[in-house]
PDB file of all heavy atoms in Angstrom:
ATOM      1  N   ALA O  24      70.779  58.751 -14.925  1.00 93.00           N
ATOM      2  CA  ALA O  24      70.966  59.985 -14.096  1.00 93.00           C
ATOM      3  C   ALA O  24      71.066  59.668 -12.638  1.00 93.00           C
ATOM      4  O   ALA O  24      70.823  60.543 -11.735  1.00 93.00           O
ATOM      5  CB  ALA O  24      69.760  60.907 -14.376  1.00 93.00           C
ATOM      6  N   ASN O  25      71.695  58.549 -12.384  1.00 93.00           N
ATOM      7  CA  ASN O  25      72.086  58.216 -10.962  1.00 93.00           C
ATOM      8  C   ASN O  25      73.502  58.706 -10.765  1.00 93.00           C
ATOM      9  O   ASN O  25      74.430  58.397 -11.532  1.00 93.00           O
ATOM     10  CB  ASN O  25      71.911  56.861 -10.614  1.00 93.00           C
ATOM     11  CG  ASN O  25      70.560  56.244 -10.729  1.00 93.00           C
ATOM     12  OD1 ASN O  25      69.621  56.954 -10.223  1.00 93.00           O
ATOM     13  ND2 ASN O  25      70.366  55.116 -11.311  1.00 93.00           N
ATOM     14  N   THR O  26      73.769  59.247  -9.524  1.00 94.00           N
ATOM     15  CA  THR O  26      75.118  59.668  -9.236  1.00 94.00           C
ATOM     16  C   THR O  26      75.890  58.515  -8.810  1.00 94.00           C
ATOM     17  O   THR O  26      75.498  57.806  -7.899  1.00 94.00           O
ATOM     18  CB  THR O  26      75.135  60.770  -8.130  1.00 94.00           C
ATOM     19  OG1 THR O  26      74.562  61.971  -8.640  1.00 94.00           O
ATOM     20  CG2 THR O  26      76.562  61.129  -7.666  1.00 94.00           C
ATOM     21  N   VAL O  27      77.016  58.189  -9.523  1.00 95.00           N
ATOM     22  CA  VAL O  27      77.854  57.060  -9.167  1.00 95.00           C
ATOM     23  C   VAL O  27      79.034  57.493  -8.319  1.00 95.00           C
ATOM     24  O   VAL O  27      79.606  56.659  -7.627  1.00 95.00           O
ATOM     25  CB  VAL O  27      78.307  56.301 -10.455  1.00 95.00           C
ATOM     26  CG1 VAL O  27      77.176  55.731 -11.318  1.00 95.00           C
ATOM     27  CG2 VAL O  27      79.156  57.186 -11.263  1.00 95.00           C
ATOM     28  N   ALA O  28      79.313  58.693  -8.374  1.00 95.00           N
ATOM     29  CA  ALA O  28      80.396  59.239  -7.528  1.00 95.00           C
ATOM     30  C   ALA O  28      80.286  60.779  -7.468  1.00 95.00           C
ATOM     31  O   ALA O  28      79.825  61.379  -8.507  1.00 95.00           O
ATOM     32  CB  ALA O  28      81.824  58.786  -8.062  1.00 95.00           C
ATOM     33  N   SER O  29      80.672  61.316  -6.381  1.00 96.00           N
ATOM     34  CA  SER O  29      80.743  62.741  -6.184  1.00 96.00           C
ATOM     35  C   SER O  29      81.742  63.216  -5.254  1.00 96.00           C
ATOM     36  O   SER O  29      82.147  62.496  -4.365  1.00 96.00           O
ATOM     37  CB  SER O  29      79.358  63.313  -5.829  1.00 96.00           C
ATOM     38  OG  SER O  29      78.916  62.877  -4.657  1.00 96.00           O
ATOM     39  N   SER O  30      82.103  64.412  -5.319  1.00 96.00           N
ATOM     40  CA  SER O  30      83.018  65.137  -4.248  1.00 96.00           C
ATOM     41  C   SER O  30      82.505  66.572  -4.138  1.00 96.00           C
ATOM     42  O   SER O  30      81.884  67.168  -4.948  1.00 96.00           O
ATOM     43  CB  SER O  30      84.477  65.136  -4.769  1.00 96.00           C
ATOM     44  OG  SER O  30      85.001  63.858  -4.897  1.00 96.00           O
ATOM     45  N   VAL O  31      82.808  67.077  -2.959  1.00 96.00           N
ATOM     46  CA  VAL O  31      82.391  68.401  -2.582  1.00 96.00           C
ATOM     47  C   VAL O  31      83.547  69.092  -1.883  1.00 96.00           C
ATOM     48  O   VAL O  31      84.252  68.445  -1.037  1.00 96.00           O
ATOM     49  CB  VAL O  31      81.077  68.427  -1.781  1.00 96.00           C
ATOM     50  CG1 VAL O  31      81.216  67.696  -0.552  1.00 96.00           C
ATOM     51  CG2 VAL O  31      80.678  69.939  -1.553  1.00 96.00           C
ATOM     52  N   GLU O  32      83.780  70.374  -2.045  1.00 97.00           N
ATOM     53  CA  GLU O  32      84.678  71.145  -1.230  1.00 97.00           C
ATOM     54  C   GLU O  32      83.996  72.493  -0.920  1.00 97.00           C
ATOM     55  O   GLU O  32      83.258  73.041  -1.718  1.00 97.00           O
ATOM     56  CB  GLU O  32      86.016  71.451  -2.003  1.00 97.00           C
ATOM     57  CG  GLU O  32      86.943  70.257  -2.034  1.00 97.00           C
ATOM     58  CD  GLU O  32      88.438  70.709  -2.058  1.00 97.00           C
ATOM     59  OE1 GLU O  32      88.743  71.904  -1.920  1.00 97.00           O
ATOM     60  OE2 GLU O  32      89.282  69.938  -2.319  1.00 97.00           O
ATOM     61  N   LYS O  33      84.299  72.981   0.307  1.00 95.00           N
ATOM     62  CA  LYS O  33      83.764  74.274   0.766  1.00 95.00           C
ATOM     63  C   LYS O  33      84.481  75.395  -0.026  1.00 95.00           C
ATOM     64  O   LYS O  33      85.745  75.287  -0.309  1.00 95.00           O
ATOM     65  CB  LYS O  33      83.928  74.442   2.221  1.00 95.00           C
ATOM     66  CG  LYS O  33      83.038  73.659   3.033  1.00 95.00           C
ATOM     67  CD  LYS O  33      81.775  74.455   3.460  1.00 95.00           C
ATOM     68  CE  LYS O  33      80.974  73.734   4.524  1.00 95.00           C
ATOM     69  NZ  LYS O  33      79.768  74.532   4.808  1.00 95.00           N
ATOM     70  N   VAL O  34      83.733  76.450  -0.339  1.00 95.00           N
ATOM     71  CA  VAL O  34      84.351  77.696  -0.867  1.00 95.00           C
ATOM     72  C   VAL O  34      84.515  78.541   0.311  1.00 95.00           C
ATOM     73  O   VAL O  34      83.670  78.877   1.169  1.00 95.00           O
ATOM     74  CB  VAL O  34      83.342  78.348  -1.867  1.00 95.00           C
ATOM     75  CG1 VAL O  34      83.883  79.677  -2.306  1.00 95.00           C
ATOM     76  CG2 VAL O  34      83.081  77.401  -3.116  1.00 95.00           C
ATOM     77  N   ARG O  35      85.750  79.091   0.369  1.00 95.00           N
ATOM     78  CA  ARG O  35      86.174  80.059   1.405  1.00 95.00           C
ATOM     79  C   ARG O  35      85.895  81.401   1.106  1.00 95.00           C
ATOM     80  O   ARG O  35      86.435  82.039   0.104  1.00 95.00           O
ATOM     81  CB  ARG O  35      87.695  79.854   1.826  1.00 95.00           C
ATOM     82  CG  ARG O  35      88.049  80.673   3.127  1.00 95.00           C
ATOM     83  CD  ARG O  35      89.505  80.310   3.548  1.00 95.00           C
ATOM     84  NE  ARG O  35      90.462  80.784   2.651  1.00 95.00           N
ATOM     85  CZ  ARG O  35      91.171  81.922   2.895  1.00 95.00           C
ATOM     86  NH1 ARG O  35      90.979  82.519   3.999  1.00 95.00           N
ATOM     87  NH2 ARG O  35      92.184  82.323   2.049  1.00 95.00           N
ATOM     88  N   LEU O  36      84.836  82.017   1.733  1.00 94.00           N
ATOM     89  CA  LEU O  36      84.469  83.407   1.488  1.00 94.00           C
ATOM     90  C   LEU O  36      85.430  84.324   2.259  1.00 94.00           C
ATOM     91  O   LEU O  36      85.660  83.999   3.468  1.00 94.00           O
ATOM     92  CB  LEU O  36      83.094  83.628   1.826  1.00 94.00           C
ATOM     93  CG  LEU O  36      82.017  82.925   0.931  1.00 94.00           C
ATOM     94  CD1 LEU O  36      80.548  83.170   1.486  1.00 94.00           C
ATOM     95  CD2 LEU O  36      82.113  83.288  -0.530  1.00 94.00           C
ATOM     96  N   LEU O  37      85.876  85.431   1.658  1.00 96.00           N
ATOM     97  CA  LEU O  37      86.725  86.338   2.289  1.00 96.00           C
ATOM     98  C   LEU O  37      85.950  87.639   2.689  1.00 96.00           C
ATOM     99  O   LEU O  37      85.199  88.070   1.821  1.00 96.00           O
ATOM    100  CB  LEU O  37      87.943  86.654   1.452  1.00 96.00           C
ATOM    101  CG  LEU O  37      88.689  85.437   0.938  1.00 96.00           C
ATOM    102  CD1 LEU O  37      89.859  85.827  -0.078  1.00 96.00           C
ATOM    103  CD2 LEU O  37      89.422  84.645   2.073  1.00 96.00           C
ATOM    104  N   TYR O  38      86.262  88.196   3.774  1.00 95.00           N
ATOM    105  CA  TYR O  38      85.608  89.464   4.222  1.00 95.00           C
ATOM    106  C   TYR O  38      86.677  90.513   4.611  1.00 95.00           C
ATOM    107  O   TYR O  38      86.812  90.724   5.888  1.00 95.00           O
ATOM    108  CB  TYR O  38      84.662  89.152   5.412  1.00 95.00           C
ATOM    109  CG  TYR O  38      83.612  88.043   5.135  1.00 95.00           C
ATOM    110  CD1 TYR O  38      83.900  86.721   5.484  1.00 95.00           C
ATOM    111  CD2 TYR O  38      82.426  88.392   4.600  1.00 95.00           C
ATOM    112  CE1 TYR O  38      82.882  85.775   5.169  1.00 95.00           C
ATOM    113  CE2 TYR O  38      81.421  87.432   4.333  1.00 95.00           C
ATOM    114  CZ  TYR O  38      81.735  86.044   4.706  1.00 95.00           C
ATOM    115  OH  TYR O  38      80.800  85.132   4.363  1.00 95.00           O
ATOM    116  N   PRO O  39      87.448  90.969   3.667  1.00 96.00           N
ATOM    117  CA  PRO O  39      88.538  91.865   3.961  1.00 96.00           C
ATOM    118  C   PRO O  39      88.105  93.177   4.588  1.00 96.00           C
ATOM    119  O   PRO O  39      88.910  93.763   5.405  1.00 96.00           O
ATOM    120  CB  PRO O  39      89.146  92.161   2.696  1.00 96.00           C
ATOM    121  CG  PRO O  39      88.227  91.825   1.622  1.00 96.00           C
ATOM    122  CD  PRO O  39      87.333  90.749   2.211  1.00 96.00           C
ATOM    123  N   LYS O  40      86.913  93.683   4.393  1.00 94.00           N
ATOM    124  CA  LYS O  40      86.429  94.919   4.958  1.00 94.00           C
ATOM    125  C   LYS O  40      84.870  94.719   5.120  1.00 94.00           C
ATOM    126  O   LYS O  40      84.239  93.881   4.489  1.00 94.00           O
ATOM    127  CB  LYS O  40      86.681  96.089   4.032  1.00 94.00           C
ATOM    128  CG  LYS O  40      88.104  96.523   3.921  1.00 94.00           C
ATOM    129  CD  LYS O  40      88.222  97.740   2.966  1.00 94.00           C
ATOM    130  CE  LYS O  40      89.654  98.082   2.761  1.00 94.00           C
ATOM    131  NZ  LYS O  40      89.794  99.275   1.779  1.00 94.00           N
ATOM    132  N   PRO O  41      84.279  95.475   5.982  1.00 89.00           N
ATOM    133  CA  PRO O  41      82.781  95.534   6.116  1.00 89.00           C
ATOM    134  C   PRO O  41      82.099  95.691   4.674  1.00 89.00           C
ATOM    135  O   PRO O  41      82.381  96.671   4.039  1.00 89.00           O
ATOM    136  CB  PRO O  41      82.497  96.646   7.091  1.00 89.00           C
ATOM    137  CG  PRO O  41      83.648  96.784   7.809  1.00 89.00           C
ATOM    138  CD  PRO O  41      84.826  96.524   6.939  1.00 89.00           C
ATOM    139  N   GLY O  42      81.239  94.779   4.407  1.00 88.00           N
ATOM    140  CA  GLY O  42      80.512  94.846   3.183  1.00 88.00           C
ATOM    141  C   GLY O  42      81.200  94.117   1.989  1.00 88.00           C
ATOM    142  O   GLY O  42      80.577  93.884   0.892  1.00 88.00           O
ATOM    143  N   TYR O  43      82.511  93.732   2.156  1.00 94.00           N
ATOM    144  CA  TYR O  43      83.209  93.120   1.065  1.00 94.00           C
ATOM    145  C   TYR O  43      83.031  91.562   1.305  1.00 94.00           C
ATOM    146  O   TYR O  43      83.217  91.075   2.374  1.00 94.00           O
ATOM    147  CB  TYR O  43      84.755  93.408   1.187  1.00 94.00           C
ATOM    148  CG  TYR O  43      85.146  94.814   0.743  1.00 94.00           C
ATOM    149  CD1 TYR O  43      84.325  95.865   1.101  1.00 94.00           C
ATOM    150  CD2 TYR O  43      86.333  94.987   0.037  1.00 94.00           C
ATOM    151  CE1 TYR O  43      84.684  97.149   0.621  1.00 94.00           C
ATOM    152  CE2 TYR O  43      86.679  96.266  -0.404  1.00 94.00           C
ATOM    153  CZ  TYR O  43      85.942  97.348  -0.059  1.00 94.00           C
ATOM    154  OH  TYR O  43      86.304  98.717  -0.517  1.00 94.00           O
ATOM    155  N   VAL O  44      82.688  90.901   0.192  1.00 94.00           N
ATOM    156  CA  VAL O  44      82.612  89.445   0.198  1.00 94.00           C
ATOM    157  C   VAL O  44      83.298  88.923  -1.099  1.00 94.00           C
ATOM    158  O   VAL O  44      82.786  89.177  -2.170  1.00 94.00           O
ATOM    159  CB  VAL O  44      81.071  88.907   0.231  1.00 94.00           C
ATOM    160  CG1 VAL O  44      81.165  87.373   0.413  1.00 94.00           C
ATOM    161  CG2 VAL O  44      80.297  89.641   1.378  1.00 94.00           C
ATOM    162  N   GLU O  45      84.430  88.248  -0.838  1.00 97.00           N
ATOM    163  CA  GLU O  45      85.243  87.938  -2.030  1.00 97.00           C
ATOM    164  C   GLU O  45      85.553  86.437  -1.972  1.00 97.00           C
ATOM    165  O   GLU O  45      85.404  85.687  -0.998  1.00 97.00           O
ATOM    166  CB  GLU O  45      86.668  88.634  -1.964  1.00 97.00           C
ATOM    167  CG  GLU O  45      86.506  90.086  -2.022  1.00 97.00           C
ATOM    168  CD  GLU O  45      87.810  90.851  -1.880  1.00 97.00           C
ATOM    169  OE1 GLU O  45      88.794  90.236  -1.689  1.00 97.00           O
ATOM    170  OE2 GLU O  45      87.817  92.139  -2.082  1.00 97.00           O
ATOM    171  N   ILE O  46      86.064  85.935  -3.130  1.00 98.00           N
ATOM    172  CA  ILE O  46      86.670  84.517  -3.275  1.00 98.00           C
ATOM    173  C   ILE O  46      87.922  84.684  -3.989  1.00 98.00           C
ATOM    174  O   ILE O  46      88.039  85.316  -5.003  1.00 98.00           O
ATOM    175  CB  ILE O  46      85.718  83.678  -4.017  1.00 98.00           C
ATOM    176  CG1 ILE O  46      84.354  83.538  -3.441  1.00 98.00           C
ATOM    177  CG2 ILE O  46      86.311  82.244  -4.263  1.00 98.00           C
ATOM    178  CD1 ILE O  46      83.289  82.809  -4.271  1.00 98.00           C
ATOM    179  N   ASP O  47      88.953  83.998  -3.540  1.00 98.00           N
ATOM    180  CA  ASP O  47      90.274  83.947  -4.131  1.00 98.00           C
ATOM    181  C   ASP O  47      90.182  83.127  -5.408  1.00 98.00           C
ATOM    182  O   ASP O  47      89.887  81.886  -5.296  1.00 98.00           O
ATOM    183  CB  ASP O  47      91.320  83.319  -3.172  1.00 98.00           C
ATOM    184  CG  ASP O  47      92.739  83.417  -3.688  1.00 98.00           C
ATOM    185  OD1 ASP O  47      92.917  83.049  -4.900  1.00 98.00           O
ATOM    186  OD2 ASP O  47      93.709  83.714  -2.950  1.00 98.00           O
ATOM    187  N   PRO O  48      90.411  83.617  -6.640  1.00 98.00           N
ATOM    188  CA  PRO O  48      90.330  82.768  -7.812  1.00 98.00           C
ATOM    189  C   PRO O  48      91.200  81.592  -7.754  1.00 98.00           C
ATOM    190  O   PRO O  48      90.911  80.534  -8.298  1.00 98.00           O
ATOM    191  CB  PRO O  48      90.667  83.713  -8.954  1.00 98.00           C
ATOM    192  CG  PRO O  48      90.399  85.084  -8.356  1.00 98.00           C
ATOM    193  CD  PRO O  48      90.702  85.006  -6.929  1.00 98.00           C
ATOM    194  N   ASP O  49      92.450  81.714  -7.250  1.00 97.00           N
ATOM    195  CA  ASP O  49      93.440  80.632  -7.253  1.00 97.00           C
ATOM    196  C   ASP O  49      92.879  79.434  -6.309  1.00 97.00           C
ATOM    197  O   ASP O  49      93.022  78.249  -6.643  1.00 97.00           O
ATOM    198  CB  ASP O  49      94.704  80.979  -6.732  1.00 97.00           C
ATOM    199  CG  ASP O  49      95.424  81.990  -7.789  1.00 97.00           C
ATOM    200  OD1 ASP O  49      95.156  81.857  -9.021  1.00 97.00           O
ATOM    201  OD2 ASP O  49      96.232  82.825  -7.350  1.00 97.00           O
ATOM    202  N   GLU O  50      92.271  79.839  -5.183  1.00 98.00           N
ATOM    203  CA  GLU O  50      91.751  78.867  -4.353  1.00 98.00           C
ATOM    204  C   GLU O  50      90.535  78.216  -4.949  1.00 98.00           C
ATOM    205  O   GLU O  50      90.354  76.963  -4.806  1.00 98.00           O
ATOM    206  CB  GLU O  50      91.226  79.494  -2.921  1.00 98.00           C
ATOM    207  CG  GLU O  50      92.414  79.890  -2.015  1.00 98.00           C
ATOM    208  CD  GLU O  50      91.970  80.272  -0.636  1.00 98.00           C
ATOM    209  OE1 GLU O  50      90.697  80.072  -0.402  1.00 98.00           O
ATOM    210  OE2 GLU O  50      92.714  80.853   0.127  1.00 98.00           O
ATOM    211  N   LEU O  51      89.756  78.923  -5.627  1.00 98.00           N
ATOM    212  CA  LEU O  51      88.557  78.372  -6.282  1.00 98.00           C
ATOM    213  C   LEU O  51      88.966  77.417  -7.391  1.00 98.00           C
ATOM    214  O   LEU O  51      88.382  76.325  -7.429  1.00 98.00           O
ATOM    215  CB  LEU O  51      87.665  79.547  -6.858  1.00 98.00           C
ATOM    216  CG  LEU O  51      86.350  79.051  -7.446  1.00 98.00           C
ATOM    217  CD1 LEU O  51      85.448  78.377  -6.437  1.00 98.00           C
ATOM    218  CD2 LEU O  51      85.567  80.228  -8.081  1.00 98.00           C
ATOM    219  N   TRP O  52      89.962  77.690  -8.190  1.00 97.00           N
ATOM    220  CA  TRP O  52      90.400  76.871  -9.199  1.00 97.00           C
ATOM    221  C   TRP O  52      90.978  75.598  -8.562  1.00 97.00           C
ATOM    222  O   TRP O  52      90.691  74.494  -9.098  1.00 97.00           O
ATOM    223  CB  TRP O  52      91.473  77.566 -10.054  1.00 97.00           C
ATOM    224  CG  TRP O  52      92.290  76.684 -10.985  1.00 97.00           C
ATOM    225  CD1 TRP O  52      93.516  76.232 -11.018  1.00 97.00           C
ATOM    226  CD2 TRP O  52      91.620  76.098 -12.137  1.00 97.00           C
ATOM    227  NE1 TRP O  52      93.812  75.426 -12.063  1.00 97.00           N
ATOM    228  CE2 TRP O  52      92.651  75.302 -12.819  1.00 97.00           C
ATOM    229  CE3 TRP O  52      90.344  75.997 -12.775  1.00 97.00           C
ATOM    230  CZ2 TRP O  52      92.416  74.505 -14.021  1.00 97.00           C
ATOM    231  CZ3 TRP O  52      90.149  75.252 -13.922  1.00 97.00           C
ATOM    232  CH2 TRP O  52      91.207  74.576 -14.494  1.00 97.00           C
ATOM    233  N   GLN O  53      91.676  75.666  -7.477  1.00 97.00           N
ATOM    234  CA  GLN O  53      92.271  74.509  -6.878  1.00 97.00           C
ATOM    235  C   GLN O  53      91.086  73.638  -6.328  1.00 97.00           C
ATOM    236  O   GLN O  53      91.236  72.362  -6.464  1.00 97.00           O
ATOM    237  CB  GLN O  53      93.174  74.879  -5.727  1.00 97.00           C
ATOM    238  CG  GLN O  53      94.034  73.639  -5.217  1.00 97.00           C
ATOM    239  CD  GLN O  53      94.838  73.002  -6.289  1.00 97.00           C
ATOM    240  OE1 GLN O  53      95.611  73.613  -7.045  1.00 97.00           O
ATOM    241  NE2 GLN O  53      94.719  71.683  -6.492  1.00 97.00           N
ATOM    242  N   ALA O  54      90.085  74.217  -5.783  1.00 97.00           N
ATOM    243  CA  ALA O  54      88.926  73.424  -5.327  1.00 97.00           C
ATOM    244  C   ALA O  54      88.301  72.706  -6.494  1.00 97.00           C
ATOM    245  O   ALA O  54      87.931  71.521  -6.290  1.00 97.00           O
ATOM    246  CB  ALA O  54      87.929  74.369  -4.656  1.00 97.00           C
TER     247      ALA O  54
END
């Protein structure tokens, strides 16, 4: 259970309107 390799990418949160918090599915899939 030792990590031999790992990668991380930030998820870009979108705020198109006040109170709205979204994620683009295509961007998430690519990440």
Side-chain angles (χ1 to χ4, degrees):
N25 294 316
T26 295
V27 297
S29 66
S30 293
V31 59
E32 280 207 14
K33 285 267 189 182
V34 173
R35 187 169 72 102
L36 295 175
L37 307 173
Y38 304 91
K40 294 181 181 179
Y43 286 41
V44 188
E45 300 180 351
I46 299 171
D47 184 319
D49 293 331
E50 283 189 15
L51 185 61
W52 172 247
Q53 192 55 55

